């Protein structure tokens, strides 16, 4: 859970608060400079890093690792970070720095242009990145096929499906997701491996709305009819 500026101010010491004030001022200055730039101004090189990006990398050292995600998120929002900035910070960053980018994408005005970052995170087996990648940004912008595979990635890597934003709304009535879950469960069973409880949770959500009170799916063949006197 990302912390607000007010929450951070209540937890940080004097030196850390002063550092954060300076970092956010640099981010705001960069955002203002880009807003005021005219169309006739020389285009800034995508490889040029504004000063606040250096602060981004140092957030954990100055404000504590437990606050690093929140501080980095505040910097991204204050700077109104552009696609080149978030891409650079993601590509060049540590896993923790990448996670903060993913956690903040939905707060930035990027449309679907940052989807490659989400797709990259979902190709990894780093559960920190997978969990961050299935947040509100993915829920809004991933197409149905990619979103279904993101859910399966969570099951495969044991990332709790509770981290998947808008899970209930997107899974409801999704017959293709139900089919993929059934196949995944069958593969696990055939391999002698347990079926994750989270899979059953998502499978129940795939039932159409009018079947919500009866989400159970058949798991075995029907029982044979009872013998009669003639048999």
């Amino acid at each position: 859970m990302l912390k607000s500026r007010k929450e951070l101010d209540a937890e940080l010491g004097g030196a850390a608060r002063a550092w954060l004030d300076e970092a956010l001022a640099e981010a705001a200055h960069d955002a203002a400079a880009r807003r005021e730039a005219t169309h006739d101004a020389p285009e800034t090189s995508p490889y040029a890093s504004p000063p606040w990006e250096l602060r981004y990398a140092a957030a954990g050292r100055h404000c504590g690792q437990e606050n690093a995600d929140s501080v980095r998120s505040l910097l991204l929002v204050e700077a109104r970070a552009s696609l080149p900035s978030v891409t650079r910070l993601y590509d060049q960053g540590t896993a923790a720095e990448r996670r903060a980018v993913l956690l903040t994408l939905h707060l930035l005005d990027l449309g679907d242009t940052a989807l490659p970052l989400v797709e990259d995170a979902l190709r990894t087996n780093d559960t920190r990145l997978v969990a961050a990648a299935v947040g509100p940004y993915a829920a809004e912008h991933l197409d149905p096929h990619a979103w279904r595979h993101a859910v399966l990635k969570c099951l495969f890597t044991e990332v709790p499906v509770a981290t998947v934003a808008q899970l209930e709304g997107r899974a409801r009535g999704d017959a293709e997701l139900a089919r993929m879950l059934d196949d995944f469960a069958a593969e696990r069973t055939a391999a002698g491996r347990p079926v994750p409880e989270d899979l059953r949770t998502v499978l129940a959500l795939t039932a159409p709305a009018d079947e919500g009170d009866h989400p159970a799916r058949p798991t075995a063949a029907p029982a044979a009819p009872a013998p009669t006197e003639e048999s």
Side-chain angles (χ1 to χ4, degrees), residues 13 92 122 156 169:
Q92 299 177 3
L122 291 172
F156 180 77

Side-chain angles (χ1 to χ4, degrees), residues 59-60 63-73 100:
C63 297
Q65 295 300 330
E66 69 279 10
N67 297 315
D69 281 345
S70 299
V71 170
R72 288 172 178 143
S73 182

Side-chain angles (χ1 to χ4, degrees), residues 27-231:
H29 176 77
D30 182 61
R34 284 187 285 111
R35 281 199 307 273
E36 294 170 3
T38 66
H39 293 295
D40 296 329
E43 184 176 351
T44 302
S45 168
Y47 301 102
S49 300
W52 69 266
E53 289 189 19
L54 300 178
R55 301 273 194 173
Y56 182 92
R61 185 164 66 253
H62 289 276
C63 297
Q65 295 300 330
E66 69 279 10
N67 297 315
D69 281 345
S70 299
V71 170
R72 288 172 178 143
S73 182
L74 285 174
L75 283 170
L76 290 168
V77 172
E78 193 69 28
R80 292 180 170 83
S82 63
L83 182 63
S85 282
V86 296
T87 301
R88 181 167 51 245
L89 291 171
Y90 182 90
D91 288 345
Q92 299 177 3
T94 63
E97 291 164 21
R98 292 182 173 197
R99 182 180 64 242
V101 168
L102 295 167
L103 290 172
T104 313
L105 289 177
H106 67 291
L107 301 175
L108 304 173
D109 186 19
L110 297 173
D112 63 0
T113 61
L115 273 178
L117 307 185
V118 173
E119 292 163 351
D120 179 82
L122 291 172
R123 285 193 292 268
T124 74
N125 287 321
D126 187 326
T127 55
R128 297 168 299 175
L129 296 184
V130 173
V134 292
Y137 186 83
E140 182 175 356
H141 295 292
L142 279 180
D143 64 38
H145 176 78
W147 184 81
R148 293 178 190 120
H149 280 277
V151 173
L152 286 177
K153 183 74 174 192
C154 289
L155 294 172
F156 180 77
T157 56
E158 300 183 352
V159 169
V161 296
T163 63
V164 180
Q166 299 180 32
L167 174 63
E168 183 173 357
R170 291 203 61 166
R172 181 67 65 199
D174 191 335
E176 177 61 15
L177 178 59
R179 183 196 65 77
M180 294 169 68
L181 293 171
D182 280 336
D183 289 348
F184 182 69
E187 291 173 5
R188 299 275 295 194
T189 301
R193 303 179 66 186
V195 175
E197 189 60 36
D198 269 356
L199 185 146
R200 298 183 177 90
T201 299
V202 181
L203 192 57
L205 292 175
T206 64
D210 58 355
E211 296 179 15
D213 295 333
H214 306 283
R217 300 171 62 86
T219 57
T228 64
E229 291 183 356
E230 294 180 357
S231 63

